[in-house]
Amino acid sequence: ERMADAAGSQKRTGVTIEKPFVYGSAAFRRAKHEVGDGQHTHRWIVYLRGLENEDLSTFIEKVEFHLHEDFKDPVRALKKPPYEVRETGWGEFPIKIKVFFRDPKEDAITVYHSLKLFRTNKSEKNASDPVMSESYDEFVFHHPRPRLKEFLNKKPERKFTEHELHRHFDAKEFIKAESEHMSKLSTASKQVNERMDQLRQRLYVLDEEIMQLEKIARQA
């Protein structure tokens, strides 16, 4: 934990708060007349968003997107949502996304996304639809300071329902996958607890047997 500033300390709260988010990209094939003699065959958007495309600026200070060094100004910092960068290009490459929170004492979080321009299976979707590549994750705040806790508990002021990609943003699949994951964890936890109970019972029996053997040995 970092040292408190001179203006006064903020003790951490005894709670854990989780905030789901999605990061990814959408790529569109450009028409031949748009490409011309150039090599920028695609336009693409890389982004970080709320699970239901809600405003995350209640607790996020800024988001940095670190593009390939060939791009002009490869580090793009956004202090207001939507947190996204729009560009054109021809190649796929990894993008670092760094998230800073409104509590400056909270460590920034970094995730990596591989920009995807081409479909794995060309028959997957309508050719006019973007190539979507998304990942689900969660910001997990263990014992956040009171100031950050207040930001985290603040209800988002808006959702970006008018976004160009809104109809392609599907929270249901992520929620379903997370529910299945939690169900598996719960089942595994139950199995572990049952096994622990069996081992404790076995240990108790062994202790009883040892005590009986020691008693017999003393009487011999």
Side-chain angles (χ1 to χ4, degrees):
E1 183 177 339
R2 297 179 183 178
M3 295 295 291
D5 58 27
S9 63
Q10 275 201 332
K11 293 182 179 179
R12 288 181 178 272
T13 56
V15 298
T16 295
I17 299 177
E18 300 173 353
K19 288 290 186 178
F21 69 99
V22 175
Y23 60 97
S25 60
F28 300 82
R29 182 84 183 186
R30 299 175 76 197
K32 289 184 178 180
H33 71 273
E34 293 178 307
V35 178
D37 297 330
Q39 295 182 329
H40 287 212
T41 55
H42 292 75
R43 71 178 180 90
W44 49 263
I45 309 169
V46 61
Y47 52 83
L48 183 143
R49 64 179 180 85
L51 179 60
E52 297 181 345
N53 214 23
E54 70 273 20
D55 185 356
L56 301 180
S57 65
T58 51
F59 62 92
I60 288 180
E61 179 67 23
K62 70 174 179 177
V63 179
E64 288 182 353
F65 294 87
H66 295 244
L67 310 182
H68 192 279
E69 60 184 11
D70 286 347
F71 283 88
K72 181 181 179 181
D73 301 323
V75 179
R76 313 285 177 89
L78 299 167
K79 291 189 174 183
K80 294 181 180 180
Y83 302 114
E84 62 182 35
V85 171
R86 295 170 179 254
E87 272 291 355
T88 60
W90 55 270
E92 300 177 335
F93 58 92
I95 298 173
K96 182 172 80 170
I97 305 172
K98 193 170 184 178
V99 184
F100 298 82
F101 302 105
R102 293 186 65 182
D103 180 355
K105 296 182 181 296
E106 193 72 28
D107 291 337
I109 297 295
T110 300
V111 295
Y112 292 86
H113 173 70
S114 294
L115 177 64
K116 184 178 179 182
L117 302 184
F118 307 98
R119 299 186 193 283
T120 305
N121 183 353
K122 293 185 178 180
S123 63
E124 285 179 351
K125 280 190 173 184
N126 189 314
S128 62
D129 285 340
V131 176
M132 301 293 296
S133 176
E134 293 189 311
S135 298
Y136 171 92
D137 208 333
E138 294 179 352
F139 297 120
V140 181
F141 301 91
H142 295 294
H143 314 305
R145 295 176 181 81
R147 183 184 180 194
L148 180 58
K149 182 183 177 183
E150 181 182 346
F151 292 145
L152 293 169
N153 288 330
K154 187 176 180 181
K155 186 177 180 180
E157 296 180 358
R158 54 179 172 166
K159 291 185 178 181
F160 298 97
T161 55
E162 303 300 319
H163 194 279
E164 172 188 3
L165 298 172
H166 184 69
R167 72 183 183 90
H168 301 289
F169 293 154
D170 186 7
K172 293 180 181 178
E173 287 300 317
F174 291 119
I175 293 173
K176 179 182 177 182
E178 180 66 9
S179 177
E180 291 175 351
H181 176 65
M182 293 303 294
S183 178
K184 289 179 181 178
L185 287 178
S186 177
T187 299
S189 177
K190 183 179 179 181
Q191 291 173 344
V192 169
N193 288 334
E194 289 175 350
R195 181 58 178 159
M196 290 295 292
D197 287 341
Q198 292 171 0
L199 291 173
R200 278 192 287 266
Q201 182 63 29
R202 178 58 179 159
L203 182 61
Y204 174 78
V205 171
L206 289 173
D207 284 342
E208 287 291 317
E209 291 177 355
I210 291 171
M211 290 174 64
Q212 289 297 326
L213 289 172
E214 289 177 342
K215 184 178 180 181
I216 294 171
R218 286 194 299 269
Q219 294 175 347

